[in-house]
């Protein structure tokens, strides 16, 4: 299913030579990362995702990929769908009254044939400025699910994230195990975070992720009462040193939602930049682009 880009062999050879020349200029001008003298190549299939890329923009992406130590320039996603896909609860993830009460669906994948995945980042503990710079340089979209007890010491960090076009969503006030709480306690956790997000970031989101991916019927009823329409969880989780998979085939699939966390060296053997490098290298190698989740909801 990988997109084919070699319609004209001579044109591809010329394009690769031009990109190599751009890369050489970038190395001379000091854009290469420490110890990285090799030009970063555009990933196979990139032109299919971004046929009309401006030369200057492409040069900047090549330089950024090198600067952040990537194996290849990340693929660019296709345009958002003109008609949003219908989102329903994943089979086996429904609760009693799911359809009758029109409860927010819990799902792990967006129904699409596009070779895209969606990056979601939970909680808000680590506030790494290099992460913001990396994702901005590479133009990688992501969605943050925030818990107030971890973000309240620096709402400004997440306002910068929001100003760059990334969406901030609800992950409760204190990140509890929601099924262990009463309906009223769950509603307080979700609606309370809605109020804070409206006050701090200008709007209450319509997307919510239950902590740990755990929920029951009361969770979804409380979420609906708080203005939530969707409750995505995830199909894969990426850490700084490995991936974990929900499916038996241990592979990415079109529309998969990928989870990671705002974590750094206090919790991991690396930084958020290291984590994103692992994430981007794999999805690009497997022929996937990173798309914006909200464009499909």
């Amino acid at each position: 299913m990988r997109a084919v880009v070699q319609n004209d062999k001579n044109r591809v050879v010329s394009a690769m030579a031009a990109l190599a020349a751009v890369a050489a200029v970038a190395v001379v001008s000091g854009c290469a990362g420490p110890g990285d003298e090799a030009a970063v190549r555009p990933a196979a299939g990139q032109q299919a995702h971004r046929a009309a890329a401006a030369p200057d923009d492409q040069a900047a992406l090549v330089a950024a990929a090198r600067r952040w130590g990537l194996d290849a320039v990340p693929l660019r996603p296709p345009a958002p769908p003109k008609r949003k896909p219908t989102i329903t609860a994943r089979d086996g993830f429904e609760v009693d009254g799911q359809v009758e009460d029109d409860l927010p669906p819990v799902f792990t994948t967006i129904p699409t044939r596009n070779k895209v995945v969606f990056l979601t980042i939970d909680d808000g503990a680590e506030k790494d400025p290099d992460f913001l710079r990396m994702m901005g340089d590479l133009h990688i979209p992501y969605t943050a699910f925030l818990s107030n007890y971890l973000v309240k010491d620096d709402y400004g960090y997440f306002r910068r994230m929001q100003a760059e076009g990334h969406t901030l969503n609800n992950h409760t006030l204190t990140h509890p195990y929601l099924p262990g709480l009463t309906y009223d306690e769950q509603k307080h956790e979700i609606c309370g975070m809605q109020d804070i997000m409206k006050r701090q970031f200008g709007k209450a989101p319509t997307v919510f992720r239950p902590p740990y991916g755990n929920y029951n019927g009361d969770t979804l009823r409380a979420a609906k009462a708080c203005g939530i329409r969707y409750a995505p969880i995830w199909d894969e989780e990426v850490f700084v040193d490995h991936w974990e998979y929900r499916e038996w085939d241990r592979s990415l699939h079109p529309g998969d939602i990928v989870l990671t966390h705002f974590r750094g060296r206090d919790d991991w053997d690396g930084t958020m930049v290291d984590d994103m490098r692992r994430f981007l290298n794999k999805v690009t190698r497997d022929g996937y682009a990173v798309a914006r989740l909200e464009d499909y909801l």
Side-chain angles (χ1 to χ4, degrees):
M1 298 296 293
R2 189 183 294 274
V4 177
V5 298
Q6 190 170 358
N7 293 327
D8 184 325
K9 187 174 182 179
N10 291 334
R11 186 180 303 169
V12 172
V13 171
S14 298
M16 291 179 68
L19 286 170
V22 169
V25 171
V27 170
V28 172
S29 62
C31 293
D36 182 9
E37 296 298 329
V40 174
R41 67 192 184 282
Q46 181 170 338
Q47 290 86 341
H49 285 285
R50 197 175 187 229
D56 289 348
D57 191 26
Q58 181 63 30
L61 288 173
V62 169
R66 180 182 308 103
R67 183 181 309 118
W68 295 106
L70 301 185
D71 294 339
V73 177
L75 303 177
R76 301 308 302 273
K82 293 181 179 178
R83 177 177 294 181
K84 303 293 181 70
T86 299
I87 307 296
T88 58
R90 175 172 168 152
D91 288 347
F93 287 56
E94 310 94 334
V95 297
D96 290 342
Q98 180 77 58
V99 175
E100 298 86 344
D101 297 337
D102 191 26
L103 299 178
V106 175
F107 52 99
T108 63
T109 299
I110 297 288
T112 179
R113 294 182 180 179
N114 292 331
K115 286 198 74 172
V116 296
V117 295
F118 304 95
L119 175 61
T120 63
I121 311 178
D122 279 10
D123 64 46
E126 181 75 6
K127 303 165 185 71
D128 184 349
D130 284 341
F131 164 78
L132 293 182
R133 286 191 286 271
M134 177 185 193
M135 304 304 266
D137 287 352
L138 295 165
H139 304 302
I140 303 298
Y142 57 91
T143 296
F145 289 87
L146 305 181
S147 292
N148 190 57
Y149 83 109
L150 291 172
V151 304
K152 64 184 180 180
D153 63 333
D154 191 358
Y155 290 125
Y157 178 84
F158 300 97
R159 290 193 194 102
R160 292 193 294 276
M161 189 179 293
Q162 184 184 43
E164 293 174 2
H166 306 290
T167 304
L168 310 180
N169 285 323
N170 188 325
H171 200 43
T172 70
L173 290 171
T174 65
H175 204 276
Y177 174 71
L178 289 173
L181 304 181
T182 66
Y183 170 83
D184 286 340
E185 290 169 335
Q186 293 194 55
K187 188 177 178 183
H188 170 71
E189 281 285 340
I190 301 168
C191 285
M193 190 59 186
Q194 291 287 86
D195 292 342
I196 285 172
M197 296 195 76
K198 185 173 182 180
R199 186 164 61 249
Q200 294 295 334
F201 306 116
K203 64 180 295 186
T206 59
V207 184
F208 156 74
R209 173 172 285 164
Y212 314 107
N214 295 132
Y215 61 94
N216 58 16
D218 280 348
T219 309
L220 301 185
R221 289 181 175 84
K224 180 179 178 181
C226 298
I228 297 298
R229 295 180 57 201
Y230 302 101
I233 49 175
W234 59 91
D235 214 51
E236 294 88 21
E237 183 171 2
V238 60
F239 297 84
V240 74
D241 57 353
H242 71 284
W243 283 68
E244 293 182 0
Y245 300 85
R246 189 179 297 274
E247 313 300 343
W248 65 271
D249 62 358
R250 298 179 60 82
S251 297
L252 295 173
H253 316 90
D256 277 359
I257 298 169
V258 180
L259 164 68
T260 193
H261 288 80
F262 289 98
R263 292 286 188 269
R265 292 193 182 279
D266 289 345
D267 301 283
W268 284 346
D269 246 353
T271 65
M272 288 194 71
V273 169
D274 298 325
D275 184 44
M276 288 297 96
R277 188 179 298 113
R278 173 174 286 274
F279 166 75
L280 290 169
N281 280 341
K282 176 175 175 54
V283 299
T284 305
R285 183 172 62 247
D286 289 357
Y288 285 84
V290 183
R292 185 175 179 269
L293 178 64
E294 289 72 23
D295 287 341
Y296 287 72
L297 298 181

